[in-house]
């Protein structure tokens, strides 16, 4: 459908999107892999994405077969500069891997949004959403440039856990460790914000 009836700034964004996609993906999407033989499709997926996956603690020690299965389940996405990918406090359903691009990670601290770090090519974020269905995003993520991403959905992640018991045990261990760490951090923050007074700590005397 023609974009000539849309405002010029919006038309410019559409052109920029397709220009980025053409330059970095040569106008070809991952859909072409579906027509290839299964063995060749797996080899290409692993060649492209194995190094991205193995940088994540959840996947660093899993078997090669699991890496192959994960690589085949990644889905591509292109985002524009200024897009908000994750919002703090919202329930997440996927994690992200950065093929190309730069994002800003920030967090609201005492009601003020504060920059935490920037992530570029080869980075990843959002893995906390895979560990439990009720986990909420702990930070905001906004793109600073056009980004070429790969997305792993939680339902794909959970299906692999059901299929591979070793992988399921690894995920459970890491999830438990992360929950324990978060609980400890909350207690430390609470202790710093509300320190006990001496009068509170000493037992009361009866008269």
């Amino acid at each position: 459908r023609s974009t000539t009836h849309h405002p010029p700034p919006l038309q410019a964004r559409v052109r920029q999107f397709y220009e980025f996609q053409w330059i970095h993906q040569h106008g070809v999407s991952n859909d072409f892999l579906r027509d290839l033989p299964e063995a060749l499709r797996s080899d290409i997926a692993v060649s492209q994405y194995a190094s991205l996956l193995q940088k994540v603690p959840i996947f660093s020690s899993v078997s090669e077969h699991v890496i192959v299965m994960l690589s085949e389940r990644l889905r591509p996405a292109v985002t524009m500069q200024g897009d908000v990918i994750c919002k703090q406090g919202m329930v997440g359903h996927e994690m992200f891997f950065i093929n190309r691009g730069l994002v800003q990670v920030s967090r609201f601290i005492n009601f003020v949004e504060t920059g935490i770090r920037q992530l570029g090519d080869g980075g990843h974020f959002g893995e906390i959403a895979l560990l439990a269905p009720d986990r909420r995003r702990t930070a905001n993520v906004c793109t600073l440039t056009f980004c070429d991403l790969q997305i792993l959905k939680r339902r794909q992640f959970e299906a692999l856990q059901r299929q591979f018991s070793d992988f399921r045990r690894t995920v459970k261990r890491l999830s438990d460790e992360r929950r324990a760490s978060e609980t400890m951090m909350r207690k430390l923050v609470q202790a710093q914000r509300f320190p006990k007074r001496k009068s509170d700590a000493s037992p009361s005397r009866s008269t």
Side-chain angles (χ1 to χ4, degrees):
R1 187 177 176 178
S2 172
T3 62
T4 55
H5 298 296
H6 297 300
L10 185 57
Q11 294 180 42
R13 291 185 67 199
V14 172
R15 285 195 298 271
Q16 290 169 4
F17 173 86
Y18 283 109
E19 285 170 1
F20 177 89
Q21 193 171 45
W22 178 260
I23 291 171
H24 293 287
Q25 299 179 344
H26 306 291
V28 178
S29 72
N30 281 16
D31 292 341
F32 86 98
L33 294 175
R34 297 175 185 172
D35 299 327
L36 298 176
E38 183 178 352
L40 181 56
R41 188 169 64 242
S42 295
D43 288 344
I44 291 174
V46 171
S47 175
Q48 284 183 306
Y49 308 128
S51 60
L52 281 175
L53 288 164
Q54 289 169 335
K55 291 178 181 178
V56 185
I58 305 173
F59 310 128
S60 61
S61 60
V62 300
S63 68
E64 182 178 350
H65 191 43
V66 173
I67 290 294
V68 171
M69 301 286 280
L70 286 165
S71 299
E72 292 177 338
R73 284 157 175 75
L74 294 177
R75 293 294 176 261
V78 174
T79 60
M80 302 183 68
Q81 181 180 359
D83 284 352
V84 177
I85 303 175
C86 297
K87 289 186 177 181
Q88 183 177 348
M90 301 295 290
V91 175
H93 303 285
E94 65 279 297
M95 75 166 296
F96 302 85
F97 303 86
I98 306 173
N99 286 326
R100 299 180 186 85
L102 186 67
V103 303
Q104 173 71 54
V105 182
S106 62
R107 185 176 298 161
F108 282 100
I109 302 175
N110 294 329
F111 305 102
V112 177
E113 189 170 13
T114 305
I116 304 298
R117 63 184 179 277
Q118 294 181 358
L119 299 172
D121 297 5
H124 63 271
F125 57 93
E127 65 271 24
I128 196 170
L130 301 183
L131 297 177
D134 60 340
R135 300 297 280 273
R136 295 184 179 274
R137 301 289 192 193
T138 59
N140 305 302
V141 180
C142 180
T143 58
L144 297 176
T145 66
F146 273 85
C147 288
D148 175 11
L149 307 173
Q150 293 293 326
I151 299 175
L152 177 61
K153 296 285 187 179
R154 190 174 62 234
R155 63 176 179 271
Q156 302 280 8
F157 179 77
E158 291 173 343
L160 285 177
Q161 288 187 69
R162 292 190 292 271
Q163 189 172 352
F164 298 98
S165 57
D166 289 347
F167 181 43
R168 182 172 63 250
R169 285 192 291 269
T170 298
V171 170
K172 184 180 186 309
R173 176 178 57 80
L174 291 171
S175 180
D176 291 344
E177 290 175 356
R178 185 134 191 181
R179 283 184 183 275
S181 175
E182 290 173 356
T183 299
M184 183 178 296
M185 287 299 299
R186 283 196 297 268
K187 288 181 177 178
L188 288 172
V189 170
Q190 187 174 17
Q192 291 173 353
R193 293 181 63 185
F194 306 103
K196 286 187 176 181
R197 295 174 297 179
K198 290 184 178 180
S199 58
D200 295 336
S202 59
S204 59
R205 295 181 179 179
S206 60
T207 56

